[in-house]
Amino acid sequence: MARKRTTGIFLPLCLILCVCIGVMLVLYLQPIGSFNNIQASSCTPPIPNAAFDLQEALSFLPYGNRQCTKLADFAWPVRYQEAVEAHKEALDKTLEGGVRLEGHSGQFQEQQMVYVKLAQLSFLQTICETGFNAGHSTLIWLASKNDTKVFSFDLGNHEYAKKMAEHLQSKYPGRLTVTWGDSTKTLPEFRKDHPEVKCDLLIVDGGHTVPVATADFENLRKMANAGNIVVFDDYPTKEGHGKVLAPVWETQVRSGTLAEQYACEKNVWRGFALGHFLFLNRSLKIAGDGANLTW
């Protein structure tokens, strides 16, 4: 009786042992090089796309603290001042009767200088911005280089905005497209209707609330080229819009979707930050059998 009981236990143990030995043999006979390739490839971190040399492109920016300083070795574009004067003349006529003008980049020379240098970068062809206002920044994009195209999105609640858009469109025919309305709606609609438009430079300077600015970042990101530069106006500042909107920019940075490259604070009310959207290569090729991993 004891012998039968022992035999009944022994047979299942033998079967389990055989299975374990078989598994070990399969693993042992697996080509070591191929196994190592798969293991190493699956652990390789995503690689950011780089369509241009970011360090070289932004080499004109000063290092150091966030105090705004004028750029060294800077020259205004040819006939730029003439364009500025024509813009001012058209705006003065539009504002006759005491119409109030919102703050703009034309009041901030350090910002203008950086904008000019950005606009002159050779790879930069398409600019997308939220917040046209009176077109001071748009003028810089158009006047700094002859082949740049600008797509601007503005609520259009200021009458002078539409008149100044018409002025710039007459001065730079075929290069400025303005879409009026709520950017949280017009940007997704525009992207759906014009999937061919990919932005090299993206500026968030529209609605000064956290929900609107956040939506602008998310929608513009979907229109950005892999090689891109992003500007966020009014940040960093200790008061005003910058104080309210700080979580928008900083959330993008902390989440890893945006890398900050430069920021300057002119005073407690005026400043701007500059960075670029990060995009990860989600497809990795496994050496040996040519298979792809995607996540």
Side-chain angles (χ1 to χ4, degrees), residues 16-38:
I16 293 172
L17 181 61
C18 290
V19 170
C20 291
I21 293 173
V23 171
M24 291 175 67
L25 286 172
V26 170
L27 292 174
Y28 180 77
L29 294 174
Q30 173 75 25
I32 294 174
S34 175
F35 180 78
N36 286 341
N37 283 338
I38 295 175

Side-chain angles (χ1 to χ4, degrees), residues 129-146:
E129 62 177 3
T130 58
F132 177 83
N133 194 26
H136 289 87
S137 297
T138 308
L139 172 66
I140 296 176
W141 312 134
L142 295 169
S144 297
K145 198 165 63 176
N146 293 330

Side-chain angles (χ1 to χ4, degrees), residues 14 62-63 69 99 101 109 140 145 169 182 186 189 194 198 201 214 220 240 264 280 289:
C14 288
Y63 290 99
T69 57
V99 179
L101 178 66
Q109 192 173 67
I140 296 176
K145 198 165 63 176
Q169 287 169 332
D182 181 353
T186 58
E189 292 170 357
H194 303 279
K198 296 296 181 182
L201 175 63
T214 299
L220 285 175
C264 86
L280 301 180
D289 60 1

Side-chain angles (χ1 to χ4, degrees), residues 19-68:
V19 170
C20 291
I21 293 173
V23 171
M24 291 175 67
L25 286 172
V26 170
L27 292 174
Y28 180 77
L29 294 174
Q30 173 75 25
I32 294 174
S34 175
F35 180 78
N36 286 341
N37 283 338
I38 295 175
Q39 191 175 40
S41 297
S42 62
C43 295
T44 304
I47 303 171
N49 291 323
F52 63 99
D53 187 332
L54 186 65
Q55 183 175 354
E56 181 180 350
L58 302 180
S59 61
F60 64 88
L61 293 171
Y63 290 99
N65 59 38
R66 292 190 169 193
Q67 297 288 330
C68 297

